[in-house]
Amino acid sequence: MTSTSSKATYVIGWAAIVALASSLLFALVLSPPEVSMGDSVRLLYLHLPTIAVSYLGYGITFLGSVIYLRNQSVFWDLLAGAAAEIGVLFTAFVLITGSIWGKPTWGTYWEWDPRLTATTVMFIMYLGYLAIRRMDLPQEVRSRRAAVIGIIAIANLIIVRYSVQWWRGLHQGQTLGVDTQLDGLMLFSLFLSVVAFLFLGAWLLIHRFRVAWLERQVEDMRLARALNERRGEAGDATLGGAVS
Amino acid sequence: MVNLSGAISLIGGFPALAGVDLTVADGEIVVLRGPNGAGKSTLLRLCAGLAHLNGGTGTILGHDLSSREQRRRIRRETGLLAHQTFLYDELTVEDNLIFWARANRADPSTVEPILDRLDLGGRLRTVKISALSAGQRRRASVAVMVCRRPKLWLLDEPHAGLDQTGRDFIDDIVRHAVRFGATVIIASHDHERVSNLATRTVHLVGGMVTGAEDGREEGQNVS
Amino acid sequence: MNHWAFVITGYAVVFVGIAVYTGWVLARGRSLTDEVPEERRRFLD
Amino acid sequence: MFRDAWLMASKDLRIEWATRVGMGQILPFGGLVLILFGLAISPDLAVAGSDGRSLLAQAAPGLFWITVLLASLLALGRSFAVESADGNLDALKMAGLDPAGIFLGKSAAVAIQLLALQVVLGLGAFVLYGPPLTDLVLLLVVVILATLGITAAGTVYAAVASGLRVRDTMVPLLVLPVVAPVLLAATKATEAAVFGPLENGWSWAMLLGVFALLYAGVGMLAFGPIMEES
């Protein structure tokens, strides 16, 4: 079978499917509505896991960038890029579920809540990182610049997060927080959904990394062909002079 | 001086150099010849430590091209006269020269005689680069190169766009540089002129060296 | 107070999004593996 | 390093003096933005509970800093356009200038131009929007610290985008989210400086200082890897 699958991804993939299915069962059916939030608490079982996956993605991007700058490893460069893409995708989910959750809770889709605001800025920041990875520059130049930004981005993330928190903190208490009572079944649903999404994230990351790896291989093959053609040009010229 | 073996260099995913073998000894004046797109400019940029060595091995002035640290030293010790002027259009000839002299840790007072020698003294000194003719700009670029005192001179079409006196200037300067121990590589289409200078001509086609001739003797391939 | 509409929308958006992305990644992986010969397909993991 | 920084900064300022792009184009642009804000926000709208100040006066600190950010994007773009026009980045590398020195020099030159710009734009904002002024010292400190932060962070990201054909669109995408905290802190601190009370203003100014220091350090470390091979 020609695909990016392997034994490992089958195992992780099936684990993700099973975990997601049972987590849906718990999140939507078995767990009770919360006292103050009502059924909208169920969005939390979606919101929190997506946050976990996106932060893990950015963490891997940071790690990969550090390692790439140390030893120019193609593996870590590509992994950093793949993880950032998944981080951005899941940050989009965080924003969407956050604002959908906000409508019944706050009455609006958007609230200048510190986390929501900081997450949006962070989202755009990592879109910039992905744009750097697509820059029209020689490969090693692009990778090095992306790695530098992948590292700085974490510092930015912290600054943005705390400055926004401070900014809103002066006006009002935190609005989005799990300060409500979650009973055993709810906590279990939350735990299960986080586990399920981590499996899903890992599975996506492996596949996305392999796609990036294959893209690099295709690029290398194209280069090898171009090199041969170029040498052909030189060969034709040499035939006339009968040398080498 | 220059020692390249199977050197590959990519420009935007295109193998501009597809495996160049080239050895240049101390004090040589090597002329690179070849059609447009043969990789002459990239070869010069590679020797200057600017283009990336993507395959093969190379040492320039005894420094390894594949080491980032040593490439920095190569850049300091070579001089490149390229199609780009390497000058700030918005500044005057004098300001440019003084800035680049300082940037290269050369004595700014050496700028004066160089300007005079290149006919850029007097009125032209206070003219902005953008107001100069192509030939005058080229002279200003040469002036910067002279004040850097590089050990390896890399000249990309140095005679292009110059008048007769300008061409003679370039030749004089090249001969002068060699007399003071420099090595020169020139990429040029102006065969007649450079063959008077060259100690060796190297042919470059399709990003590879396809032949070489010694000195001014024609048709003797020794690759 | 009925929040189910919001809950369903939220879950739908996320899971459709994941499905689309997964589909894209898998399809791209398929077409690329066809292009790349066996020996270049070691993924280093 | 400081020698190279001085060399770069004086060269950039000399170019500005010769071409007057900053004073002749970026400054009028900033003034125009200030006026456009005035047109967009009706000057007759008043804010409740703010001593009868107009909405424009109340929003003046934020509008001023948005204007400065937009102007800084132009100044940063200009700063690197000068280097890439004739291959001068290559020439700088061949000269062996210290990357940290290049970073400090280029950001210092942009900072000086922006500060000069802000003197005029600030006066313009006071005249056009009519906010009061409580503490000039805090205001000046904020202006200086915020400018250093914007230029340090901006120079890093403008360098990342240098050598690109899409540089002009890349720089805003990269720089604006990063300097969002500066906008926030500078606006809050400026509000304190013009309206009072002042106690929070100084802590926001502290944050600006930390940001500027952090990015000065980041830039000095990162400029080598960014400039390499470009």
Side-chain angles (χ1 to χ4, degrees):
Chain A
M1 183 82 155
T2 58
S3 77
T4 43
S5 304
S6 64
K7 253 185 204 143
T9 61
Y10 277 128
V11 174
I12 298 174
W14 278 109
I17 289 174
V18 171
L20 278 174
S22 45
S23 121
L24 278 180
L25 186 70
F26 274 93
L28 295 179
V29 184
L30 295 179
S31 73
E34 205 263 347
V35 185
S36 59
M37 281 193 270
D39 283 317
S40 69
V41 71
R42 299 178 197 284
L43 280 166
L44 211 60
Y45 309 137
L46 196 56
H47 189 63
L48 231 57
T50 48
I51 290 175
V53 172
S54 64
Y55 272 94
L56 259 173
Y58 297 145
I60 293 172
T61 300
F62 174 76
L63 188 70
S65 302
V66 171
I67 297 177
Y68 176 78
L69 277 189
R70 282 183 163 271
N71 63 7
Q72 274 76 49
S73 140
V74 176
F75 174 88
W76 285 103
D77 177 36
L78 295 178
L79 190 68
E85 192 175 295
I86 287 168
V88 165
L89 177 75
F90 277 78
T91 308
F93 293 151
V94 171
L95 292 174
I96 292 168
T97 54
S99 80
I100 291 179
W101 182 80
K103 184 63 182 168
T105 314
W106 302 321
T108 54
Y109 286 108
W110 179 267
E111 187 67 32
W112 290 97
D113 163 79
R115 294 191 202 187
L116 203 48
T117 312
T119 306
T120 310
V121 174
M122 182 178 88
F123 177 65
I124 299 167
M125 225 153 61
Y126 275 94
L127 278 182
Y129 171 82
L130 291 182
I132 290 173
R133 295 199 65 92
R134 286 193 307 271
M135 287 192 310
D136 177 27
L137 285 175
Q139 200 167 71
E140 57 281 342
V141 176
R142 190 178 47 206
S143 296
R144 191 167 311 121
R145 291 189 188 182
V148 169
I149 296 308
I151 293 170
I152 304 177
I154 289 287
N156 290 336
L157 206 149
I158 295 166
I159 299 173
V160 169
R161 184 78 175 66
Y162 282 95
S163 60
V164 172
Q165 187 140 17
W166 198 12
W167 171 58
R168 293 314 292 172
L170 295 177
H171 292 256
Q172 61 194 69
Q174 263 179 240
T175 44
L176 193 152
V178 196
D179 49 350
T180 41
Q181 286 296 308
L182 294 181
D183 73 5
L185 201 52
M186 290 178 179
L187 280 178
F188 179 74
S189 303
L190 198 59
F191 170 75
L192 191 61
S193 63
V194 169
V195 170
F197 268 82
L198 288 182
F199 273 117
L200 175 70
W203 184 84
L204 276 174
L205 179 63
I206 294 172
H207 277 279
R208 183 61 187 89
F209 165 76
R210 287 177 178 177
V211 165
W213 177 263
L214 289 171
E215 277 167 350
R216 183 61 66 93
Q217 296 304 313
V218 169
E219 173 62 14
D220 286 354
M221 284 158 59
R222 192 197 60 75
L223 209 61
R225 267 199 308 280
L227 205 56
N228 272 332
E229 272 171 35
R230 188 100 167 115
R231 285 180 176 154
E233 269 176 60
D236 294 344
T238 323
L239 282 182
V243 233
S244 66
Chain B
M1 270 288 143
V2 173
N3 216 321
L4 299 173
S5 157
I8 295 172
S9 187
L10 306 175
I11 302 294
F14 174 76
L17 299 183
V20 168
D21 300 309
L22 179 68
T23 307
V24 177
D26 222 336
E28 269 194 292
I29 303 178
V30 173
V31 172
L32 296 176
R33 304 209 342 112
N36 290 328
K40 301 188 295 289
S41 298
T42 308
L43 180 54
L44 293 181
R45 283 180 61 84
L46 181 72
C47 293
L50 288 173
H52 200 265
L53 182 71
N54 296 87
T57 57
T59 55
I60 307 288
L61 301 163
H63 307 305
D64 187 353
L65 265 177
S66 56
S67 145
R68 205 177 306 158
E69 196 49 54
Q70 300 196 29
R71 211 157 46 224
R72 219 164 280 154
R73 251 173 272 155
I74 294 171
R75 289 185 193 137
R76 291 279 295 124
E77 294 170 14
T78 54
L80 175 65
L81 185 70
H83 296 296
Q84 296 162 309
T85 57
F86 294 149
L87 298 169
Y88 293 100
D89 265 359
E90 300 85 348
L91 296 181
T92 63
V93 172
E94 192 176 24
D95 285 346
N96 260 295
L97 261 290
I98 290 174
F99 170 77
W100 287 113
R102 289 217 173 104
N104 286 289
R105 284 160 177 75
D107 183 0
S109 64
T110 58
V111 164
E112 203 80 6
I114 294 170
L115 282 179
D116 287 337
R117 205 166 122 219
L118 281 159
D119 253 3
L120 289 166
R123 188 186 63 82
L124 286 176
R125 285 172 47 153
T126 51
V127 173
K128 285 185 187 179
I129 296 291
S130 56
L132 293 181
S133 74
Q136 289 166 330
R137 282 181 214 187
R138 169 91 9 147
R139 289 183 201 200
S141 301
V142 171
V144 171
M145 197 161 151
V146 171
C147 84
R148 294 189 66 200
R149 308 197 180 285
K151 292 181 190 159
L152 176 63
W153 291 49
L154 305 159
L155 310 176
D156 199 351
E157 302 288 353
H159 299 108
L162 288 185
D163 57 16
Q164 190 56 43
T165 46
R167 288 158 183 243
D168 291 341
F169 265 131
I170 298 272
D171 293 358
D172 279 350
I173 282 166
V174 166
R175 290 205 182 90
H176 192 74
V178 171
R179 207 173 309 132
F180 280 86
T183 307
V184 184
I185 304 179
I186 308 174
S188 181
H189 283 111
D190 193 347
H191 189 46
E192 256 172 59
R193 174 164 288 277
V194 291
S195 60
N196 293 327
L197 281 171
T199 56
R200 188 154 61 105
T201 303
V202 171
H203 292 268
L204 205 63
V205 179
M208 294 181 81
V209 173
T210 54
E213 293 145 19
D214 261 332
R216 279 143 240 171
E217 298 161 273
E218 292 291 322
Q220 196 189 345
N221 289 319
V222 289
S223 78
Chain C
M1 230 186 6
N2 191 354
H3 295 152
W4 277 102
F6 296 106
V7 173
I8 301 295
T9 319
Y11 275 83
V13 169
V14 170
F15 279 93
V16 167
I18 290 170
V20 169
Y21 183 72
T22 306
W24 175 78
V25 169
L26 286 182
R28 182 129 179 80
R30 289 258 154 109
S31 73
L32 282 170
T33 39
D34 288 340
E35 274 182 59
V36 176
E38 188 81 48
E39 68 273 11
R40 279 175 173 268
R41 259 186 264 145
R42 290 179 306 104
F43 295 117
L44 291 177
D45 64 345
Chain D
M1 182 177 78
F2 288 111
R3 177 191 164 280
D4 290 350
W6 168 248
L7 193 63
M8 286 300 287
S10 56
K11 182 265 298 170
D12 276 2
L13 290 175
R14 196 181 286 266
I15 290 178
E16 164 57 21
W17 183 250
T19 59
R20 295 192 177 79
V21 168
M23 288 300 135
Q25 294 172 29
I26 302 178
L27 180 62
F29 166 79
L32 188 62
V33 173
L34 285 179
I35 290 169
L36 290 180
F37 276 135
L39 298 182
I41 301 171
S42 166
D44 303 327
L45 287 175
V47 184
S50 62
D51 312 336
R53 273 197 290 274
S54 71
L55 177 57
L56 210 48
Q58 192 69 24
L63 299 180
F64 171 72
W65 283 108
I66 292 272
T67 308
V68 171
L69 277 188
L70 293 178
S72 76
L73 292 178
L74 295 185
L76 287 166
R78 168 75 185 153
S79 170
F80 279 86
V82 162
E83 301 299 342
S84 45
D86 297 289
N88 289 330
L89 274 179
D90 282 342
L92 290 176
K93 274 190 272 181
M94 291 197 69
L97 286 184
D98 182 356
I102 297 179
F103 164 75
L104 287 178
K106 289 209 80 71
S107 28
V110 175
I112 290 169
Q113 293 178 52
L114 274 184
L115 283 173
L117 217 77
Q118 285 175 68
V119 171
V120 182
L121 289 181
L123 286 175
F126 272 110
V127 171
L128 290 171
Y129 302 155
L133 177 62
T134 310
D135 189 343
L136 183 63
V137 177
L138 176 60
L139 186 64
L140 290 179
V141 169
V142 168
V143 162
I144 289 168
L145 291 178
T147 305
L148 292 179
I150 292 169
T151 47
T155 304
V156 172
Y157 282 85
V160 165
S162 70
L164 281 180
R165 253 164 292 163
V166 292
R167 184 189 58 211
D168 296 342
T169 42
M170 237 353 213
V171 171
L173 171 67
L174 296 176
V175 173
L176 288 181
V178 176
V179 295
V182 176
L183 173 70
L184 214 65
T187 302
K188 283 288 160 195
T190 308
E191 278 174 2
V194 292
F195 305 128
L198 300 171
E199 61 271 23
N200 280 327
W202 286 103
S203 29
W204 284 112
M206 281 271 290
L207 181 68
L208 288 171
V210 169
F211 187 94
L213 266 180
L214 179 81
Y215 260 94
V218 163
M220 285 163 68
L221 289 176
F223 233 62
I226 292 172
M227 293 247 320
E228 196 68 32
E229 299 303 326
S230 54

